[in-house]
Amino acid sequence: MSGAESPPDEFGQIARLFRPLTRGAPEALDLLDDAAVIPSRPGFDLVVTKDALVAGVHFQPGEPPGRTAQRLLRANLSDLAAKGAEPYGYFLMTAWPADFGWAQREAFAEGLRADGEAFNLCLLGGDTVSIKGPLTLSMTLLGWTPSGAMVRRAGAQVGDLVMVSGAIGDGWLDWGVAAGQLDRRWLGADHRLPNPRLDLREPLRRLATSAADVSDGLIADAGHIARASKVGLRLDLDRMPISDAAAAWLATQADPAGARLRLATGGDDYELVLTAPPAAAQALGLPVIGEVVAGEGVEVRFAGARLDPGPGGWRHA
Ligand SMILES: Nc1ncnc2c1ncn2[C@@H]1O[C@H](COP(=O)(O)OP(=O)(O)OP(=O)(O)O)[C@@H](O)[C@H]1O
Ligand SMILES: Cc1ncc(C[n+]2csc(CCOP(=O)(O)O)c2C)c(N)n1
Ligand SMILES: [Mg+2]
Ligand SMILES: [Mg+2]
Ligand SMILES: [Mg+2]
């Protein structure tokens, strides 16, 4: 293709694509050093999370690069949101295939610039490599909580209620549409861009006994809470909030229990699943979908019958 600019070398890329994303943060040392250095912050804990995206596994290879960048940032922000943490800065690893050209790399950086500003985040460091394989991206995101206040997966108590922060299942519908397996009319409200629930971090820290974000699937991620907390969870899929698009899709399905299970195990929702004692749950005001019981694992019911959720969500081999 004529006119397509070829990329500058590694250090040119770091200077042109990534240095502006530091937004002048002194910790990043202008991306000219071996490492970044972060002063400690008395009274706070540094919360650290990392998630990777791989073309063909987490997103369609043809997705606009700016959108992929935003998904990478937002998937990581969702983990910080689940921990009640305030986002601070991030480290980025990009493994570029040769056919991911300069214009695409610029579009990727532009997506990060836009969300870096929207969420007030600075790039602190990273690594730039080439790959004979699919576009592979990884981010390490840092955030702060007041000392000792991070909301954990461990902490759910027998008698607590289980809640979710919003509609479940649009991530799966959206992925089905992008993969050409479902009709476009089932597309949720621009669900390909997760909306990390950072708005909940203060009430979460104050009221929740445990929390996780829903990336693998509601039932799988609830299962992670059960395991870490050494309790059992009972979930009632009649009470699971779903979008209008998901409700319309459900209405076309012959097997309502199986269809609801698809929504509850599909993943990519980036809402939160959390537990709290009944009074705190009322104060949180989020939809209640079940309760914490003695035992282990997740028991799933719909329309009065027990369902077998299988693994409950996405698992990498
Ligand atoms: N390769 C690894 N090395 C070290 N720790 C890991 C590795 N992979 C996962 N973990 C840890 O395992 C735990 C669960 O990770 P997982 O990726 O399932 O969580 P998540 O980010 O909430 O889910 P998702 O990846 O679906 O968004 C986390 O504590 C994570 O740091
Ligand atoms: C192209 C394409 N194929 C499949 C899916 C579905 N998917 C892949 S990984 C994952 C869970 C989170 O992953 P991780 O645990 O690695 O964070 C989900 C729901 C998708 N979104 N795009
Ligand atoms: Mg992860
Ligand atoms: Mg995650
Ligand atoms: Mg998570």
Side-chain angles (χ1 to χ4, degrees):
M1 193 171 73
S2 67
E5 202 179 335
S6 61
D9 73 5
E10 177 182 346
F11 300 103
Q13 293 186 44
I14 294 168
R16 287 172 63 183
L17 297 177
F18 298 136
R19 187 167 301 131
L21 303 180
T22 67
R23 305 166 76 215
E27 301 94 315
L29 304 171
D30 287 332
L31 305 182
L32 291 169
D33 213 307
D34 299 285
V37 60
I38 298 169
S40 65
R41 188 176 170 194
F44 289 81
D45 290 337
L46 188 59
V47 179
V48 185
T49 187
K50 178 181 196 65
D51 265 327
L53 295 186
V54 178
V57 176
H58 297 91
F59 61 94
Q60 298 293 334
E63 182 175 76
R67 182 175 281 272
T68 305
Q70 288 174 302
R71 277 158 51 98
L72 178 67
L73 193 70
R74 289 167 184 232
N76 277 281
L77 281 168
S78 179
D79 278 305
L80 275 196
K83 305 298 96 186
E86 176 197 347
Y88 160 55
Y90 64 95
F91 291 79
L92 174 70
M93 190 286 293
T94 56
W96 308 126
D99 65 1
F100 195 77
W102 179 240
Q104 288 166 295
R105 297 179 199 191
E106 283 187 312
F108 176 83
E110 170 53 27
L112 281 182
R113 190 205 56 74
D115 265 6
E117 266 176 35
F119 294 100
N120 193 25
L121 282 170
C122 300
L123 177 61
L124 299 172
D127 201 16
T128 301
V129 302
S130 51
I131 189 171
K132 290 179 176 153
L135 177 61
T136 300
L137 306 160
S138 171
M139 181 175 284
T140 304
L141 182 59
L142 313 183
W144 301 108
T145 57
S147 296
M150 189 185 97
V151 183
R152 303 189 179 198
R153 288 180 177 178
Q157 304 285 325
V158 173
D160 284 355
L161 298 179
V162 183
M163 285 152 283
V164 284
S165 60
I168 297 296
D170 286 355
W172 180 80
L173 287 172
D174 186 67
W175 148 237
V177 171
Q181 290 163 6
L182 289 173
D183 190 275
R184 287 199 70 78
R185 76 194 136 125
W186 309 127
L187 207 55
D190 201 18
H191 206 82
R192 239 169 292 173
L193 268 191
N195 176 27
R197 297 307 305 271
L198 292 157
D199 55 314
L200 293 173
R201 64 179 180 262
E202 196 278 329
L204 207 63
R205 287 203 305 263
R206 197 157 40 85
L207 297 165
T209 49
S210 74
D213 67 321
V214 180
S215 54
D216 289 336
L218 172 63
I219 294 169
D221 289 304
H224 294 144
I225 287 181
R227 183 146 186 249
S229 298
K230 300 191 171 68
V231 294
L233 301 186
R234 276 202 196 129
L235 301 186
D236 181 358
L237 294 191
D238 300 86
R239 299 202 272 175
M240 178 176 79
I242 59 174
S243 69
D244 291 346
W249 173 78
L250 265 182
T252 67
Q253 297 300 298
D255 169 16
R260 234 165 227 268
L261 213 42
R262 285 233 166 85
L263 300 177
T265 58
D268 272 350
D269 294 304
Y270 302 105
E271 293 290 345
L272 307 183
V273 54
L274 56 142
T275 60
Q282 197 168 19
L284 277 159
L286 297 170
V288 172
I289 57 164
E291 59 267 332
V292 180
V293 295
E296 60 181 35
V298 183
E299 195 182 297
V300 182
R301 287 176 185 277
F302 176 68
R306 204 60 207 266
L307 301 182
D308 176 7
W314 180 277
R315 283 192 190 179
H316 293 283

